[in-house]
Amino acid sequence: TCQMVESSPRCIPNKPSCKDLRCLKGTTCQMVEGWPTCVANKPSCNDLHCPSGTTCKMVEASPRCVPINPSCNDVHCPKGTRCEMVETSPRCLPVLQPPLVCHVLGRW
C-alpha cells in the first residue's frame, strides 16, 4: 500500500490478515501474535448430528448424544453404586451401607 513516510510516498507491506489465508476443513483462521493462523475448531454441538430421541450436550468439553429425557433406565452403574436422579440427570452414587446393629447382653 502506498503511504506517505516523512513527506515521501513509500510502498508499505499490508498487515497480514485472515482474508489472506485459507484454512482446511475443521480449522478456522485466528490472529495469533499478529499473524493469521489456522487453528483447530473446538468441538461443539453444531458439529454433531444426533439420532431421534437424543440431543447433544457438552460432556467434559466434548459433544455427546444423550437421551432427551435421561433416566436411571439409561445408566448402568458399577458395583457398589446405584443410580439416582440428581438435578434431572441420572448419576451413579455410592451405596451407603446401613449402620451395624449389635446385640449385646440381650439388648439391641
PDB file of all heavy atoms in Angstrom, residues 48-80:
ATOM      1  N   LEU A  48     -22.232 -32.015  15.547  1.00  0.00           N
ATOM      2  CA  LEU A  48     -22.708 -33.379  15.781  1.00  0.00           C
ATOM      3  C   LEU A  48     -24.193 -33.491  15.462  1.00  0.00           C
ATOM      4  O   LEU A  48     -24.997 -32.691  15.930  1.00  0.00           O
ATOM      5  CB  LEU A  48     -22.462 -33.755  17.250  1.00  0.00           C
ATOM      6  CG  LEU A  48     -22.756 -35.191  17.662  1.00  0.00           C
ATOM      7  CD1 LEU A  48     -21.855 -36.158  16.921  1.00  0.00           C
ATOM      8  CD2 LEU A  48     -22.542 -35.340  19.165  1.00  0.00           C
ATOM      9  N   HIS A  49     -24.546 -34.486  14.658  1.00  0.00           N
ATOM     10  CA  HIS A  49     -25.959 -34.772  14.357  1.00  0.00           C
ATOM     11  C   HIS A  49     -26.384 -35.964  15.201  1.00  0.00           C
ATOM     12  O   HIS A  49     -25.818 -37.042  15.089  1.00  0.00           O
ATOM     13  CB  HIS A  49     -26.146 -35.078  12.867  1.00  0.00           C
ATOM     14  CG  HIS A  49     -27.546 -35.451  12.527  1.00  0.00           C
ATOM     15  ND1 HIS A  49     -28.559 -34.527  12.469  1.00  0.00           N
ATOM     16  CD2 HIS A  49     -28.104 -36.640  12.255  1.00  0.00           C
ATOM     17  CE1 HIS A  49     -29.690 -35.152  12.171  1.00  0.00           C
ATOM     18  NE2 HIS A  49     -29.435 -36.435  12.023  1.00  0.00           N
ATOM     19  N   CYS A  50     -27.360 -35.747  16.068  1.00  0.00           N
ATOM     20  CA  CYS A  50     -27.801 -36.810  16.970  1.00  0.00           C
ATOM     21  C   CYS A  50     -29.041 -37.509  16.426  1.00  0.00           C
ATOM     22  O   CYS A  50     -29.905 -36.869  15.812  1.00  0.00           O
ATOM     23  CB  CYS A  50     -28.115 -36.224  18.352  1.00  0.00           C
ATOM     24  SG  CYS A  50     -26.638 -35.651  19.211  1.00  0.00           S
ATOM     25  N   PRO A  51     -29.168 -38.827  16.671  1.00  0.00           N
ATOM     26  CA  PRO A  51     -30.343 -39.563  16.206  1.00  0.00           C
ATOM     27  C   PRO A  51     -31.599 -39.153  16.972  1.00  0.00           C
ATOM     28  O   PRO A  51     -31.524 -38.534  18.037  1.00  0.00           O
ATOM     29  CB  PRO A  51     -29.985 -41.030  16.468  1.00  0.00           C
ATOM     30  CG  PRO A  51     -28.881 -41.012  17.459  1.00  0.00           C
ATOM     31  CD  PRO A  51     -28.184 -39.696  17.324  1.00  0.00           C
ATOM     32  N   SER A  52     -32.712 -39.536  16.425  1.00  0.00           N
ATOM     33  CA  SER A  52     -34.013 -39.242  17.039  1.00  0.00           C
ATOM     34  C   SER A  52     -34.065 -39.773  18.471  1.00  0.00           C
ATOM     35  O   SER A  52     -33.552 -40.844  18.765  1.00  0.00           O
ATOM     36  CB  SER A  52     -35.119 -39.893  16.200  1.00  0.00           C
ATOM     37  OG  SER A  52     -36.368 -39.653  16.781  1.00  0.00           O
ATOM     38  N   GLY A  53     -34.663 -38.976  19.362  1.00  0.00           N
ATOM     39  CA  GLY A  53     -34.772 -39.383  20.760  1.00  0.00           C
ATOM     40  C   GLY A  53     -33.586 -38.967  21.610  1.00  0.00           C
ATOM     41  O   GLY A  53     -33.560 -39.215  22.800  1.00  0.00           O
ATOM     42  N   THR A  54     -32.581 -38.360  20.950  1.00  0.00           N
ATOM     43  CA  THR A  54     -31.416 -37.883  21.689  1.00  0.00           C
ATOM     44  C   THR A  54     -31.175 -36.419  21.367  1.00  0.00           C
ATOM     45  O   THR A  54     -31.704 -35.885  20.386  1.00  0.00           O
ATOM     46  CB  THR A  54     -30.148 -38.688  21.349  1.00  0.00           C
ATOM     47  OG1 THR A  54     -29.813 -38.471  19.975  1.00  0.00           O
ATOM     48  CG2 THR A  54     -30.338 -40.168  21.611  1.00  0.00           C
ATOM     49  N   THR A  55     -30.372 -35.788  22.192  1.00  0.00           N
ATOM     50  CA  THR A  55     -29.976 -34.404  21.966  1.00  0.00           C
ATOM     51  C   THR A  55     -28.499 -34.279  22.301  1.00  0.00           C
ATOM     52  O   THR A  55     -27.949 -35.112  23.016  1.00  0.00           O
ATOM     53  CB  THR A  55     -30.823 -33.434  22.822  1.00  0.00           C
ATOM     54  OG1 THR A  55     -30.518 -32.096  22.441  1.00  0.00           O
ATOM     55  CG2 THR A  55     -30.567 -33.612  24.309  1.00  0.00           C
ATOM     56  N   CYS A  56     -27.882 -33.247  21.794  1.00  0.00           N
ATOM     57  CA  CYS A  56     -26.454 -33.055  22.035  1.00  0.00           C
ATOM     58  C   CYS A  56     -26.244 -32.244  23.301  1.00  0.00           C
ATOM     59  O   CYS A  56     -26.902 -31.232  23.526  1.00  0.00           O
ATOM     60  CB  CYS A  56     -25.822 -32.340  20.843  1.00  0.00           C
ATOM     61  SG  CYS A  56     -24.036 -32.143  21.028  1.00  0.00           S
ATOM     62  N   LYS A  57     -25.303 -32.707  24.128  1.00  0.00           N
ATOM     63  CA  LYS A  57     -24.873 -31.982  25.315  1.00  0.00           C
ATOM     64  C   LYS A  57     -23.356 -32.056  25.375  1.00  0.00           C
ATOM     65  O   LYS A  57     -22.764 -33.056  24.985  1.00  0.00           O
ATOM     66  CB  LYS A  57     -25.464 -32.580  26.599  1.00  0.00           C
ATOM     67  CG  LYS A  57     -26.908 -32.241  26.811  1.00  0.00           C
ATOM     68  CD  LYS A  57     -27.356 -32.598  28.212  1.00  0.00           C
ATOM     69  CE  LYS A  57     -28.815 -32.214  28.378  1.00  0.00           C
ATOM     70  NZ  LYS A  57     -29.327 -32.563  29.689  1.00  0.00           N
ATOM     71  N   MET A  58     -22.747 -30.996  25.882  1.00  0.00           N
ATOM     72  CA  MET A  58     -21.303 -30.992  26.054  1.00  0.00           C
ATOM     73  C   MET A  58     -20.969 -31.763  27.327  1.00  0.00           C
ATOM     74  O   MET A  58     -21.474 -31.460  28.402  1.00  0.00           O
ATOM     75  CB  MET A  58     -20.771 -29.563  26.160  1.00  0.00           C
ATOM     76  CG  MET A  58     -20.952 -28.761  24.880  1.00  0.00           C
ATOM     77  SD  MET A  58     -20.117 -29.463  23.443  1.00  0.00           S
ATOM     78  CE  MET A  58     -18.416 -29.155  23.845  1.00  0.00           C
ATOM     79  N   VAL A  59     -20.158 -32.806  27.196  1.00  0.00           N
ATOM     80  CA  VAL A  59     -19.736 -33.633  28.319  1.00  0.00           C
ATOM     81  C   VAL A  59     -18.212 -33.602  28.347  1.00  0.00           C
ATOM     82  O   VAL A  59     -17.568 -34.093  27.421  1.00  0.00           O
ATOM     83  CB  VAL A  59     -20.253 -35.087  28.189  1.00  0.00           C
ATOM     84  CG1 VAL A  59     -19.764 -35.930  29.340  1.00  0.00           C
ATOM     85  CG2 VAL A  59     -21.768 -35.109  28.078  1.00  0.00           C
ATOM     86  N   GLU A  60     -17.643 -33.002  29.394  1.00  0.00           N
ATOM     87  CA  GLU A  60     -16.183 -32.876  29.514  1.00  0.00           C
ATOM     88  C   GLU A  60     -15.574 -32.293  28.241  1.00  0.00           C
ATOM     89  O   GLU A  60     -14.647 -32.833  27.668  1.00  0.00           O
ATOM     90  CB  GLU A  60     -15.558 -34.223  29.871  1.00  0.00           C
ATOM     91  CG  GLU A  60     -16.003 -34.758  31.207  1.00  0.00           C
ATOM     92  CD  GLU A  60     -15.447 -36.130  31.516  1.00  0.00           C
ATOM     93  OE1 GLU A  60     -14.625 -36.638  30.727  1.00  0.00           O
ATOM     94  OE2 GLU A  60     -15.847 -36.694  32.547  1.00  0.00           O
ATOM     95  N   ALA A  61     -16.135 -31.190  27.772  1.00  0.00           N
ATOM     96  CA  ALA A  61     -15.659 -30.431  26.609  1.00  0.00           C
ATOM     97  C   ALA A  61     -15.820 -31.173  25.281  1.00  0.00           C
ATOM     98  O   ALA A  61     -15.232 -30.776  24.285  1.00  0.00           O
ATOM     99  CB  ALA A  61     -14.210 -29.998  26.798  1.00  0.00           C
ATOM    100  N   SER A  62     -16.610 -32.237  25.253  1.00  0.00           N
ATOM    101  CA  SER A  62     -16.874 -32.953  24.006  1.00  0.00           C
ATOM    102  C   SER A  62     -18.373 -33.069  23.793  1.00  0.00           C
ATOM    103  O   SER A  62     -19.114 -33.339  24.733  1.00  0.00           O
ATOM    104  CB  SER A  62     -16.275 -34.360  24.051  1.00  0.00           C
ATOM    105  OG  SER A  62     -14.877 -34.286  24.145  1.00  0.00           O
ATOM    106  N   PRO A  63     -18.825 -32.888  22.543  1.00  0.00           N
ATOM    107  CA  PRO A  63     -20.253 -33.047  22.277  1.00  0.00           C
ATOM    108  C   PRO A  63     -20.648 -34.516  22.309  1.00  0.00           C
ATOM    109  O   PRO A  63     -19.925 -35.370  21.789  1.00  0.00           O
ATOM    110  CB  PRO A  63     -20.422 -32.450  20.877  1.00  0.00           C
ATOM    111  CG  PRO A  63     -19.079 -32.562  20.246  1.00  0.00           C
ATOM    112  CD  PRO A  63     -18.072 -32.504  21.350  1.00  0.00           C
ATOM    113  N   ARG A  64     -21.763 -34.825  22.949  1.00  0.00           N
ATOM    114  CA  ARG A  64     -22.251 -36.202  23.061  1.00  0.00           C
ATOM    115  C   ARG A  64     -23.756 -36.215  22.819  1.00  0.00           C
ATOM    116  O   ARG A  64     -24.471 -35.304  23.229  1.00  0.00           O
ATOM    117  CB  ARG A  64     -22.009 -36.767  24.455  1.00  0.00           C
ATOM    118  CG  ARG A  64     -20.565 -36.807  24.869  1.00  0.00           C
ATOM    119  CD  ARG A  64     -19.931 -38.129  24.473  1.00  0.00           C
ATOM    120  NE  ARG A  64     -18.639 -38.272  25.091  1.00  0.00           N
ATOM    121  CZ  ARG A  64     -17.495 -38.176  24.436  1.00  0.00           C
ATOM    122  NH1 ARG A  64     -17.493 -37.955  23.154  1.00  0.00           N
ATOM    123  NH2 ARG A  64     -16.353 -38.327  25.063  1.00  0.00           N
ATOM    124  N   CYS A  65     -24.242 -37.290  22.200  1.00  0.00           N
ATOM    125  CA  CYS A  65     -25.681 -37.501  22.051  1.00  0.00           C
ATOM    126  C   CYS A  65     -26.176 -38.206  23.305  1.00  0.00           C
ATOM    127  O   CYS A  65     -25.671 -39.268  23.660  1.00  0.00           O
ATOM    128  CB  CYS A  65     -25.979 -38.335  20.810  1.00  0.00           C
ATOM    129  SG  CYS A  65     -25.570 -37.485  19.269  1.00  0.00           S
ATOM    130  N   VAL A  66     -27.136 -37.600  23.966  1.00  0.00           N
ATOM    131  CA  VAL A  66     -27.686 -38.168  25.191  1.00  0.00           C
ATOM    132  C   VAL A  66     -29.200 -38.256  25.035  1.00  0.00           C
ATOM    133  O   VAL A  66     -29.794 -37.502  24.279  1.00  0.00           O
ATOM    134  CB  VAL A  66     -27.321 -37.322  26.430  1.00  0.00           C
ATOM    135  CG1 VAL A  66     -25.833 -37.317  26.670  1.00  0.00           C
ATOM    136  CG2 VAL A  66     -27.831 -35.896  26.296  1.00  0.00           C
ATOM    137  N   PRO A  67     -29.843 -39.189  25.759  1.00  0.00           N
ATOM    138  CA  PRO A  67     -31.297 -39.282  25.670  1.00  0.00           C
ATOM    139  C   PRO A  67     -31.947 -37.965  26.072  1.00  0.00           C
ATOM    140  O   PRO A  67     -31.452 -37.260  26.961  1.00  0.00           O
ATOM    141  CB  PRO A  67     -31.651 -40.390  26.676  1.00  0.00           C
ATOM    142  CG  PRO A  67     -30.390 -41.169  26.860  1.00  0.00           C
ATOM    143  CD  PRO A  67     -29.273 -40.202  26.650  1.00  0.00           C
ATOM    144  N   ILE A  68     -33.047 -37.634  25.388  1.00  0.00           N
ATOM    145  CA  ILE A  68     -33.734 -36.371  25.673  1.00  0.00           C
ATOM    146  C   ILE A  68     -34.230 -36.342  27.110  1.00  0.00           C
ATOM    147  O   ILE A  68     -34.068 -35.348  27.806  1.00  0.00           O
ATOM    148  CB  ILE A  68     -34.881 -36.135  24.674  1.00  0.00           C
ATOM    149  CG1 ILE A  68     -34.277 -35.825  23.307  1.00  0.00           C
ATOM    150  CG2 ILE A  68     -35.778 -35.002  25.136  1.00  0.00           C
ATOM    151  CD1 ILE A  68     -35.273 -35.685  22.192  1.00  0.00           C
ATOM    152  N   ASN A  69     -34.830 -37.404  27.574  1.00  0.00           N
ATOM    153  CA  ASN A  69     -35.293 -37.490  28.957  1.00  0.00           C
ATOM    154  C   ASN A  69     -34.513 -38.597  29.648  1.00  0.00           C
ATOM    155  O   ASN A  69     -35.003 -39.706  29.810  1.00  0.00           O
ATOM    156  CB  ASN A  69     -36.800 -37.790  29.022  1.00  0.00           C
ATOM    157  CG  ASN A  69     -37.619 -36.666  28.441  1.00  0.00           C
ATOM    158  OD1 ASN A  69     -37.348 -35.508  28.705  1.00  0.00           O
ATOM    159  ND2 ASN A  69     -38.604 -36.997  27.636  1.00  0.00           N
ATOM    160  N   PRO A  70     -33.281 -38.320  30.055  1.00  0.00           N
ATOM    161  CA  PRO A  70     -32.474 -39.379  30.656  1.00  0.00           C
ATOM    162  C   PRO A  70     -33.080 -39.861  31.964  1.00  0.00           C
ATOM    163  O   PRO A  70     -33.695 -39.093  32.693  1.00  0.00           O
ATOM    164  CB  PRO A  70     -31.118 -38.713  30.894  1.00  0.00           C
ATOM    165  CG  PRO A  70     -31.414 -37.254  30.970  1.00  0.00           C
ATOM    166  CD  PRO A  70     -32.605 -37.032  30.093  1.00  0.00           C
ATOM    167  N   SER A  71     -32.930 -41.143  32.194  1.00  0.00           N
ATOM    168  CA  SER A  71     -33.411 -41.722  33.439  1.00  0.00           C
ATOM    169  C   SER A  71     -32.419 -42.788  33.874  1.00  0.00           C
ATOM    170  O   SER A  71     -31.478 -43.105  33.158  1.00  0.00           O
ATOM    171  CB  SER A  71     -34.796 -42.357  33.249  1.00  0.00           C
ATOM    172  OG  SER A  71     -34.688 -43.536  32.481  1.00  0.00           O
ATOM    173  N   CYS A  72     -32.655 -43.342  35.033  1.00  0.00           N
ATOM    174  CA  CYS A  72     -31.767 -44.400  35.523  1.00  0.00           C
ATOM    175  C   CYS A  72     -31.866 -45.650  34.654  1.00  0.00           C
ATOM    176  O   CYS A  72     -30.975 -46.501  34.705  1.00  0.00           O
ATOM    177  CB  CYS A  72     -32.079 -44.697  36.991  1.00  0.00           C
ATOM    178  SG  CYS A  72     -31.375 -43.433  38.097  1.00  0.00           S
ATOM    179  N   ASN A  73     -32.906 -45.765  33.837  1.00  0.00           N
ATOM    180  CA  ASN A  73     -33.018 -46.901  32.926  1.00  0.00           C
ATOM    181  C   ASN A  73     -31.939 -46.853  31.847  1.00  0.00           C
ATOM    182  O   ASN A  73     -31.623 -47.865  31.236  1.00  0.00           O
ATOM    183  CB  ASN A  73     -34.391 -46.923  32.259  1.00  0.00           C
ATOM    184  CG  ASN A  73     -35.500 -47.187  33.253  1.00  0.00           C
ATOM    185  OD1 ASN A  73     -35.287 -47.797  34.297  1.00  0.00           O
ATOM    186  ND2 ASN A  73     -36.687 -46.706  32.950  1.00  0.00           N
ATOM    187  N   ASP A  74     -31.371 -45.654  31.600  1.00  0.00           N
ATOM    188  CA  ASP A  74     -30.366 -45.488  30.559  1.00  0.00           C
ATOM    189  C   ASP A  74     -28.942 -45.635  31.083  1.00  0.00           C
ATOM    190  O   ASP A  74     -27.990 -45.529  30.325  1.00  0.00           O
ATOM    191  CB  ASP A  74     -30.499 -44.093  29.928  1.00  0.00           C
ATOM    192  CG  ASP A  74     -31.899 -43.827  29.411  1.00  0.00           C
ATOM    193  OD1 ASP A  74     -32.428 -44.696  28.685  1.00  0.00           O
ATOM    194  OD2 ASP A  74     -32.462 -42.768  29.739  1.00  0.00           O
ATOM    195  N   VAL A  75     -28.792 -45.858  32.399  1.00  0.00           N
ATOM    196  CA  VAL A  75     -27.472 -45.861  33.021  1.00  0.00           C
ATOM    197  C   VAL A  75     -27.185 -47.218  33.639  1.00  0.00           C
ATOM    198  O   VAL A  75     -28.028 -47.795  34.312  1.00  0.00           O
ATOM    199  CB  VAL A  75     -27.399 -44.758  34.111  1.00  0.00           C
ATOM    200  CG1 VAL A  75     -26.066 -44.796  34.822  1.00  0.00           C
ATOM    201  CG2 VAL A  75     -27.640 -43.392  33.502  1.00  0.00           C
ATOM    202  N   HIS A  76     -25.985 -47.730  33.399  1.00  0.00           N
ATOM    203  CA  HIS A  76     -25.526 -48.959  34.038  1.00  0.00           C
ATOM    204  C   HIS A  76     -24.441 -48.560  35.033  1.00  0.00           C
ATOM    205  O   HIS A  76     -23.364 -48.146  34.641  1.00  0.00           O
ATOM    206  CB  HIS A  76     -24.972 -49.950  33.006  1.00  0.00           C
ATOM    207  CG  HIS A  76     -25.994 -50.362  32.009  1.00  0.00           C
ATOM    208  ND1 HIS A  76     -26.990 -51.257  32.296  1.00  0.00           N
ATOM    209  CD2 HIS A  76     -26.195 -49.978  30.726  1.00  0.00           C
ATOM    210  CE1 HIS A  76     -27.750 -51.412  31.236  1.00  0.00           C
ATOM    211  NE2 HIS A  76     -27.288 -50.644  30.264  1.00  0.00           N
ATOM    212  N   CYS A  77     -24.739 -48.669  36.306  1.00  0.00           N
ATOM    213  CA  CYS A  77     -23.800 -48.250  37.344  1.00  0.00           C
ATOM    214  C   CYS A  77     -22.898 -49.410  37.756  1.00  0.00           C
ATOM    215  O   CYS A  77     -23.329 -50.556  37.787  1.00  0.00           O
ATOM    216  CB  CYS A  77     -24.563 -47.737  38.567  1.00  0.00           C
ATOM    217  SG  CYS A  77     -25.414 -46.186  38.243  1.00  0.00           S
ATOM    218  N   PRO A  78     -21.639 -49.090  38.094  1.00  0.00           N
ATOM    219  CA  PRO A  78     -20.721 -50.140  38.549  1.00  0.00           C
ATOM    220  C   PRO A  78     -21.119 -50.669  39.924  1.00  0.00           C
ATOM    221  O   PRO A  78     -21.891 -50.038  40.650  1.00  0.00           O
ATOM    222  CB  PRO A  78     -19.364 -49.438  38.606  1.00  0.00           C
ATOM    223  CG  PRO A  78     -19.646 -47.980  38.585  1.00  0.00           C
ATOM    224  CD  PRO A  78     -20.998 -47.789  37.997  1.00  0.00           C
ATOM    225  N   LYS A  79     -20.577 -51.843  40.249  1.00  0.00           N
ATOM    226  CA  LYS A  79     -20.862 -52.476  41.530  1.00  0.00           C
ATOM    227  C   LYS A  79     -20.506 -51.522  42.670  1.00  0.00           C
ATOM    228  O   LYS A  79     -19.506 -50.822  42.615  1.00  0.00           O
ATOM    229  CB  LYS A  79     -20.057 -53.771  41.656  1.00  0.00           C
ATOM    230  CG  LYS A  79     -20.407 -54.586  42.877  1.00  0.00           C
ATOM    231  CD  LYS A  79     -19.642 -55.891  42.888  1.00  0.00           C
ATOM    232  CE  LYS A  79     -20.026 -56.700  44.112  1.00  0.00           C
ATOM    233  NZ  LYS A  79     -19.322 -57.975  44.154  1.00  0.00           N
ATOM    234  N   GLY A  80     -21.351 -51.495  43.683  1.00  0.00           N
ATOM    235  CA  GLY A  80     -21.136 -50.619  44.825  1.00  0.00           C
ATOM    236  C   GLY A  80     -21.762 -49.256  44.665  1.00  0.00           C
ATOM    237  O   GLY A  80     -21.642 -48.413  45.535  1.00  0.00           O
TER     238      GLY A  80
END
